[in-house]
Amino acid sequence: QAVVTQESSLTVSPGGTVTLTCGSSTGVVTSEHYPHWFQQKPGQAPRTLIYDTINKHSWTPARFSGSLLGGKGALTLSGAQPEDEADYYCFLFYSGVFVFGGGTRLTVL
Amino acid sequence: EVQLLESGGGLVQPGGSLRLSCAASGFTFSNYAMTWVRQVPGKGLEWVSSIQGNGNNIRYADSVKGRSTISRDNSKNTLYLQMNSVRADDTAVYYCAKGGWGSNFDFWGQGTRVTVSS
């Protein structure tokens, strides 16, 4: 089974920009992996931020954006806010199954 | 308003069984794939199983394959996960999510906690 890799932790300054990545053990991540990004705060259910690489839901703050970058899926946060401190998970689609990354703990400090 | 409400979690002995349910509302349930995702406390998310809107396409993670059965009753707008021969490593919060093949993931339930212990 494929392994999806994410940074274990990142720190961003308030107002700063940070990029989280989502890599695949099978090689280059493409749009055919339909990368999704989820945000989870302590004690809460996950919330979907980005689907199918770049698409946002109506509730996704404009400061979040998705892309493909350097052969990986990427989530960029521009203008970090204190409320963005959370765990972020990506997942990729592989021939009918979904695999989550291990998650990135983002600290806004 | 889309709502997903899981139930059926609790304490179960190793080797036992339980059935999780997810009652859906606010959308045309039969039109969408649905998915179960679990999370061991303090750990990451793990995809468990997905089922197509018409129930014809079903897939499982290797960790639950052969021990779990996903199903749905579109007349009741409810998703199920039957778990058999449960093990300690099945202890987790189980979330249902709207989405799967052909439809993006958008809404999540609040989860139901399963504890496997004697």
Side-chain angles (χ1 to χ4, degrees):
Chain A
Q1 177 173 296
V3 175
V4 176
T5 56
Q6 298 183 245
E7 298 84 1
S8 58
S9 65
L10 291 171
T11 300
V12 61
S13 300
T17 296
V18 64
T19 297
L20 290 64
T21 67
C22 182
S24 172
S25 62
T26 63
V28 174
V29 174
T30 72
S31 60
E32 296 302 311
H33 289 99
Y34 304 100
H36 281 53
W37 289 92
F38 309 92
Q39 177 192 64
Q40 188 179 34
K41 297 182 179 180
Q44 296 184 16
R47 180 174 74 145
T48 309
L49 293 178
I50 300 290
Y51 64 96
D52 297 350
T53 309
I54 62 170
N55 297 295
K56 302 179 185 182
H57 287 294
S58 59
W59 54 81
T60 304
R63 58 186 181 273
F64 289 96
S65 62
S67 65
L68 296 175
L69 188 66
K72 298 181 179 181
L75 176 70
T76 299
L77 171 58
S78 304
Q81 300 297 309
E83 61 266 30
D84 298 328
E85 186 160 294
D87 292 329
Y88 292 83
Y89 295 91
C90 70
F91 82 45
L92 302 177
F93 176 75
Y94 297 88
S95 301
V97 300
F98 302 93
V99 181
F100 280 93
T104 297
R105 177 150 295 179
L106 182 66
T107 302
V108 180
L109 186 63
Chain B
E1 178 191 8
V2 171
Q3 291 194 345
L4 300 171
L5 184 61
E6 301 96 335
S7 61
L11 178 65
V12 57
Q13 292 190 337
S17 298
L18 78 166
R19 188 176 79 160
L20 306 181
S21 300
C22 172
S25 61
F27 64 101
T28 305
F29 183 68
S30 60
N31 285 355
Y32 294 92
M34 296 292 294
T35 293
W36 287 101
V37 174
R38 69 184 181 183
Q39 185 172 35
V40 174
K43 302 296 184 182
L45 300 173
E46 179 188 14
W47 172 76
V48 173
S49 182
S50 295
I51 184 169
Q52 196 62 282
N54 58 14
N56 286 349
N57 191 7
I58 290 173
R59 298 294 288 270
Y60 299 96
D62 289 343
S63 58
V64 303
K65 195 177 297 183
R67 301 186 299 117
S68 296
T69 302
I70 191 172
S71 62
R72 63 193 297 159
D73 186 335
N74 287 343
S75 69
K76 296 182 178 179
N77 291 346
T78 302
L79 174 72
Y80 303 101
L81 183 68
Q82 176 71 39
M83 301 178 64
N84 300 322
S85 303
V86 296
R87 313 185 300 223
D89 61 1
D90 292 320
T91 295
V93 175
Y94 285 73
Y95 296 102
C96 72
K98 173 175 169 283
W101 315 284
S103 56
N104 69 80
F105 284 71
D106 44 21
F107 295 94
W108 294 68
Q110 286 303 302
T112 186
R113 184 178 294 267
V114 172
T115 301
V116 181
S117 175
S118 55

